[in-house]
Amino acid sequence: MELTGGPRARLDVSGGTSGGVVVQLTGELDLASLPDVAGPLAELLTRRPQPLVLELGDLTFLDSSGVSLLVRIANHFDQVRTRSATEPVRRVIEVLGLADRFGLDEA
Amino acid sequence: MPSQAFPAWPDSIPAARRYVSEAMDQLPAGTGQTAALLISELATNAVRHGGHEFVVDVHTFPDEGRLWIGVTDSDTGLPVLRTPAVTAEHGRGLQLVSTLADSWGARRRKNTAEKTVWFELRYAPLDLPG
């Protein structure tokens, strides 16, 4: 999705059906859009460590600055699984050797 | 060959991606995707370390199936390739460049306060009309 004139990225948190947390990322995640998600990220990182699902179906671009955010989330929460990553996003995670860390093929 | 200067602030990172994508609209989709990612990494480094502006140069050689992109800024410190742990939050930009580019490098220009970090991508040469 194209976000123009406003925030370029969004981070939404919801409860999972079987407990745990679902984090949905939308838009393009790079150094320029990290401030767009800083508020919800700070709130997310105050939650107790628990299983977490990253829902990345609407994340169209991710570079190493965006990966640093995913690593922060993975470091804080117990188990992370990644769902429906788009092809460019999946490729970045795989190339960096983070597929296991982010549970890329387990969701 | 296309060349454009960008102010060294974060909004220039997506702008540089768009610029590169528009400069090479005839390339295979996978090559374009990789180029967008790698320009994002080099622009990010320029914004974080490189002074008040950076210049993006795009050279395409469709008959050879070769794309060269360089980012020039006014910081003479050369980039360092690192291998971060899975829990490390930073240090992965050049790892992507070195893994996905067919070749890459950095050079300083003598008697100037400039450096260029560049990468090259190869793809199947296009059948161009004419």
Side-chain angles (χ1 to χ4, degrees):
Chain A
M1 101 183 234
E2 191 82 14
L3 299 171
T4 48
R8 293 177 39 250
R10 220 173 60 210
L11 188 158
D12 296 298
V13 181
S14 54
T17 45
S18 52
V21 180
V22 177
V23 173
Q24 178 163 18
L25 283 159
T26 306
E28 301 185 344
L29 211 48
D30 58 16
L31 186 70
S33 66
L34 285 182
D36 296 341
V37 299
L41 175 69
E43 191 279 324
L44 176 68
L45 295 178
T46 63
R47 300 189 180 210
R48 66 178 168 79
Q50 56 193 300
L52 178 141
V53 173
L54 283 172
E55 175 63 60
L56 302 187
D58 289 323
L59 187 66
T60 55
F61 180 83
L62 175 75
D63 68 8
S64 68
S65 300
V67 168
S68 71
L69 176 141
L70 301 187
V71 170
R72 283 187 72 186
I73 293 173
N75 285 348
H76 180 82
F77 287 89
D78 247 358
Q79 310 152 276
V80 173
R81 290 178 300 142
T82 296
R83 212 153 58 186
S84 54
T86 58
E87 205 276 316
V89 167
R90 163 178 293 273
R91 185 152 164 262
V92 169
I93 292 171
E94 286 174 346
V95 164
L96 290 175
L98 292 168
D100 285 349
R101 183 73 189 100
F102 295 162
L104 190 57
D105 289 310
E106 298 161 28
Chain B
M1 286 296 185
S3 175
Q4 187 163 319
F6 295 88
W9 61 52
D11 284 350
S12 294
I13 296 165
R17 278 205 302 278
R18 281 193 299 275
Y19 171 69
V20 163
S21 300
E22 282 160 20
M24 39 168 239
D25 56 346
Q26 297 232 320
L27 300 194
T31 306
Q33 191 191 97
T34 303
L37 174 64
L38 302 191
I39 189 63
S40 203
E41 300 299 345
L42 297 190
T44 298
N45 287 347
V47 167
R48 294 181 65 185
H49 309 293
H52 64 278
E53 70 166 28
F54 63 93
V55 175
V56 177
D57 288 281
V58 180
H59 295 200
T60 49
F61 307 90
D63 46 339
E64 294 175 46
R66 188 159 66 89
L67 166 71
W68 185 101
I69 294 179
V71 173
T72 300
D73 66 37
S74 56
D75 174 66
T76 53
L78 295 177
V80 179
L81 181 59
R82 290 181 281 176
T83 310
V86 291
T87 52
E89 290 180 19
H90 299 288
R92 294 189 173 84
L94 274 190
Q95 198 186 349
L96 286 171
V97 176
S98 74
T99 306
L100 294 175
D102 290 290
S103 53
W104 70 282
R107 62 184 182 218
R108 255 190 300 236
R109 208 154 291 129
K110 201 176 175 182
N111 299 326
T112 71
E114 270 185 15
K115 73 151 180 312
T116 300
V117 185
W118 59 271
F119 66 88
E120 210 169 72
L121 299 177
R122 302 253 174 188
Y123 53 92
L126 303 174
D127 267 333
L128 295 177

